[in-house]
Amino acid sequence: MSRPPKSRPSTPPSPGPHSPIPRLKHALLLAALALAAAVAIILIAPRVAGAEPTDITVRVLSKDAKFVGSSMGGARVVLRDADTGAILAEGVTSGGTGDTKVLMHADGGRRATLSSDDAAKFDATIDIDEPRLIEVEILGPLGQRQSANRVTVTQWAVPGEHITGGDGWLIELPGYVVDVLAPPAHMKLPAETAKVDLRANVSLMCGCPITPGGLWDADELAVKALITRNGEKLPPLDLAYDGQPSQFAGTMTVDQPGLYDVTVYAHNPRTGNTGLDRTTFIVAK
């Protein structure tokens, strides 16, 4: 009779090439190497680049008035590399309009600092490793987009040399905020309409009010309406101060139907400052 084969003690099979264990070890090894490389880059890169944090404070000053801040929605500030166009920082000015006594006097002189601690500003820190020509772009006031103006200025920035002393980087924003209150845009009037009242609110870009004999004098401001009917120019109409701060009004005669386009502008001949807004209305046939 044949003997049955002797049994051998069982041993666990060795992992093959497709076993999950080697693959897990391989993945862990790759993750560790990637982490080490990332840490090395973080530690070494700043030393290689040599970048230095450079602080920049931007303030936006309404022409012939005060700072553009939170009460007018602020002004958007974008700092760019003037050569590459790369955005280095961006934000919105916030804070108050500043100290009227500090701002609005005749004997400040060229060394006078215009800003107070509460004056609206935008603070940024940029990392640069060599002198860079920086472009700042201002758009505002954001709370009155129909009258918003855009200003672009350049200035050199040197690593570690902060642009924060005094007023910081001070940008003047020209214009008036003109807001046509009446008639509202695209208003349809009946054929028998003979007169239309025009009313506009006019203020500085900082929101400062305009009154007769005031700090911002309504008497030196020309506020006029330029009018067309179906594209044909009609005589301009003067708008006069209407008894409330920044309010100007006038009445125009309407003797024909059509589409009327009205542009109301404010202009100060002493400073050259100008702003405008526009509305339309329709008189039925």
Side-chain angles (χ1 to χ4, degrees), residues 62-93:
S62 172
K63 183 171 182 176
D64 192 36
K66 302 174 70 178
F67 291 98
V68 180
S70 302
S71 63
M72 293 298 284
R76 177 160 298 282
V77 180
V78 181
L79 295 172
R80 293 189 181 91
D81 184 303
D83 294 322
T84 67
I87 294 178
L88 305 176
E90 59 183 325
V92 177
T93 61

Side-chain angles (χ1 to χ4, degrees), residues 65-263:
K66 302 174 70 178
F67 291 98
V68 180
S70 302
S71 63
M72 293 298 284
R76 177 160 298 282
V77 180
V78 181
L79 295 172
R80 293 189 181 91
D81 184 303
D83 294 322
T84 67
I87 294 178
L88 305 176
E90 59 183 325
V92 177
T93 61
S94 62
T97 57
D99 188 329
T100 303
K101 293 180 180 178
V102 171
L103 284 161
M104 303 308 297
H105 57 86
D107 57 351
R110 68 182 182 88
R111 293 183 179 84
T113 297
L114 300 177
S115 59
S116 51
D117 291 340
D118 64 337
K121 62 180 178 177
F122 167 69
D123 290 320
T125 300
I126 61 174
D127 290 323
I128 53 177
D129 57 0
E130 61 181 356
R132 305 273 284 275
L133 184 61
I134 306 298
E135 175 186 271
V136 62
E137 177 185 294
I138 305 297
L139 175 67
L142 297 179
Q144 293 288 323
R145 293 299 292 264
Q146 83 283 354
S147 294
N149 277 336
R150 189 186 307 272
V151 178
T152 303
V153 184
T154 59
Q155 175 173 315
W156 283 100
V158 177
E161 301 292 351
H162 307 305
I163 306 174
T164 56
D167 296 317
W169 194 346
L170 187 63
I171 310 297
E172 184 182 77
L173 184 67
Y176 287 102
V177 172
V178 180
D179 189 8
V180 175
L181 305 177
H186 205 263
M187 184 178 187
K188 294 183 179 180
L189 301 174
E192 60 269 21
T193 300
K195 295 183 181 299
V196 174
D197 291 331
L198 298 181
R199 179 179 295 275
N201 189 84
V202 181
S203 70
L204 280 300
M205 300 294 257
C206 54
C208 301
I210 298 171
T211 56
L215 195 56
W216 295 279
D217 192 355
D219 294 333
E220 68 178 19
L221 198 64
V223 181
K224 295 179 181 290
L226 305 178
I227 306 165
T228 65
R229 182 185 61 241
N230 298 331
E232 179 185 354
K233 288 184 178 181
L234 300 179
L237 175 69
D238 290 329
L239 274 63
Y241 185 77
D242 197 41
Q244 298 183 54
S246 297
Q247 299 281 300
F248 293 81
T251 301
M252 61 176 288
T253 301
V254 175
D255 56 7
Q256 293 186 38
L259 171 62
Y260 288 78
D261 190 308
V262 180
T263 298

Side-chain angles (χ1 to χ4, degrees), residues 18-77:
H18 300 292
S19 170
I21 296 176
R23 284 182 291 173
L24 178 59
K25 290 182 178 179
H26 184 67
L28 291 174
L29 178 60
L30 289 178
L33 290 174
L35 179 60
V39 171
I41 290 173
I42 292 173
L43 294 175
I44 295 173
R47 296 177 186 175
V48 173
E52 289 189 56
T54 304
D55 298 333
I56 298 178
T57 296
V58 178
R59 288 187 172 89
V60 180
L61 186 67
S62 172
K63 183 171 182 176
D64 192 36
K66 302 174 70 178
F67 291 98
V68 180
S70 302
S71 63
M72 293 298 284
R76 177 160 298 282
V77 180

